[in-house]
Amino acid sequence: AQKVTQAQTEISVVEKEDVTLDCVYETRDTTYYLFWYKQPPSGELVFLIRRNSFDEQNEISGRYSWNFQKSTSSFNFTITASQVVDSAVYFCALSEKTGANSKLTFGKGITLSVRP
Amino acid sequence: EPEVTQTPSHQVTQMGQEVILRCVPISNHLYFYWYRQILGQKVEFLVSFYNNEISEKSEIFDDQFSVERPDGSNFTLKIRSTKLEDSAMYFCASRPRTNSNQPQHFGDGTRLSIL
């Protein structure tokens, strides 16, 4: 069975600080997909990034970057130069399959508060 | 940019009543999903739907729940006899049919309050 663990529950930083959100996953599949979603106070779920299990190259997209390490089953997400608008709950999610059965298994989420 | 649309945004219903939550997925998407999020908790998978039938459902999705795609655009979740514990935010999601597992796009959710 697939499982996602987000050990951090709440993080508070001052604007312009960098912040890393941790995610550890469990799966028996060799092919899987990892995601980060953001849930701002308004409640919607916003897709941020996606990674395939066969591509461990880490990337940077604007202020977002991620560190995917299969050896430690981790998929950490970093926001550089945080802004107040980054305040939200961040969910890491895992999907083991493609097609219609590609349900997402979410972690419990990390509440990020960015103070001015 | 195309969006998943959910209505209503907030539904208040008496316990025991039937409720239908509506979703309009993105037009060229073929896979549809319902998730729920009890206040302050994580998002949980309910059901996936493809080619007019359920592909997978979770333990939460018991006989009180049903899904339907009554026409070419709407995707509905029905709860037959609501219970207090059904109070939650319900999210609809859709994704296109590709082999590379494109991300699911979520609607803004329907907040269901059972009294």
Side-chain angles (χ1 to χ4, degrees):
Chain A
Q2 55 195 55
K3 183 179 177 182
V4 175
T5 301
Q6 295 181 259
Q8 304 154 310
T9 53
E10 295 184 24
I11 299 176
S12 181
V13 299
V14 176
E15 207 170 18
K16 297 184 184 176
E17 283 185 24
D18 298 348
V19 58
T20 295
L21 310 180
D22 297 336
C23 174
V24 173
Y25 61 90
E26 293 177 30
T27 176
R28 284 195 283 256
D29 281 12
T30 55
T31 300
Y32 50 89
Y33 306 84
L34 295 160
F35 305 82
W36 277 95
Y37 282 84
K38 171 183 178 181
Q39 187 174 43
S42 47
E44 71 270 25
L45 283 167
V46 179
F47 163 74
L48 296 177
I49 57 174
R50 172 182 67 118
R51 208 77 198 138
N52 305 324
S53 57
F54 41 86
D55 184 0
E56 285 192 76
Q57 183 178 356
N58 295 310
E59 293 186 16
I60 297 173
S61 175
R63 294 188 299 112
Y64 298 156
S65 62
W66 47 98
N67 186 350
F68 174 36
Q69 294 196 358
K70 288 178 76 170
S71 60
T72 56
S73 297
S74 64
F75 183 51
N76 298 336
F77 175 63
T78 297
I79 303 173
T80 58
S82 59
Q83 301 173 1
V84 172
V85 293
D86 295 327
S87 296
V89 181
Y90 289 81
F91 291 97
C92 180
L94 166 70
S95 174
E96 287 180 330
K97 295 179 174 59
T98 59
N101 293 342
S102 60
K103 68 178 183 185
L104 290 171
T105 296
F106 287 83
K108 291 186 176 181
I110 303 168
T111 300
L112 174 64
S113 300
V114 182
R115 310 186 305 275
Chain B
E1 185 176 332
E3 293 181 342
V4 176
T5 305
Q6 290 186 244
T7 55
S9 56
H10 190 189
Q11 174 79 44
V12 182
T13 301
Q14 291 287 331
M15 187 172 61
Q17 296 294 307
E18 174 183 286
V19 66
I20 297 176
L21 309 182
R22 303 182 191 280
C23 170
V24 179
I26 295 173
S27 63
N28 64 342
H29 286 189
L30 296 178
Y31 300 132
F32 313 117
Y33 308 84
W34 283 101
Y35 293 82
R36 89 169 177 194
Q37 184 183 30
I38 295 172
L39 185 64
Q41 298 187 23
K42 67 178 178 180
V43 180
E44 300 173 292
F45 168 76
L46 290 177
V47 65
S48 59
F49 192 86
Y50 169 69
N51 200 24
N52 281 320
E53 59 184 25
I54 291 174
S55 304
E56 186 177 0
K57 58 184 180 180
S58 71
E59 293 175 354
I60 303 168
F61 195 89
D62 61 21
D63 291 344
Q64 293 299 312
F65 290 88
S66 61
V67 289
E68 195 177 36
R69 189 155 162 83
D71 52 41
S73 59
N74 289 286
F75 179 50
T76 61
L77 174 69
K78 182 195 292 186
I79 308 175
R80 224 176 314 279
S81 177
T82 50
K83 302 187 279 283
L84 292 176
E85 53 264 39
D86 293 327
S87 295
M89 181 77 94
Y90 288 80
F91 290 102
C92 173
S94 70
R95 55 182 287 267
R97 183 183 177 187
T98 67
N99 292 327
S100 61
N101 205 314
Q102 291 296 311
Q104 295 178 22
H105 294 264
F106 285 81
D108 287 350
T110 293
R111 182 168 299 285
L112 177 62
S113 300
I114 307 300
L115 304 179

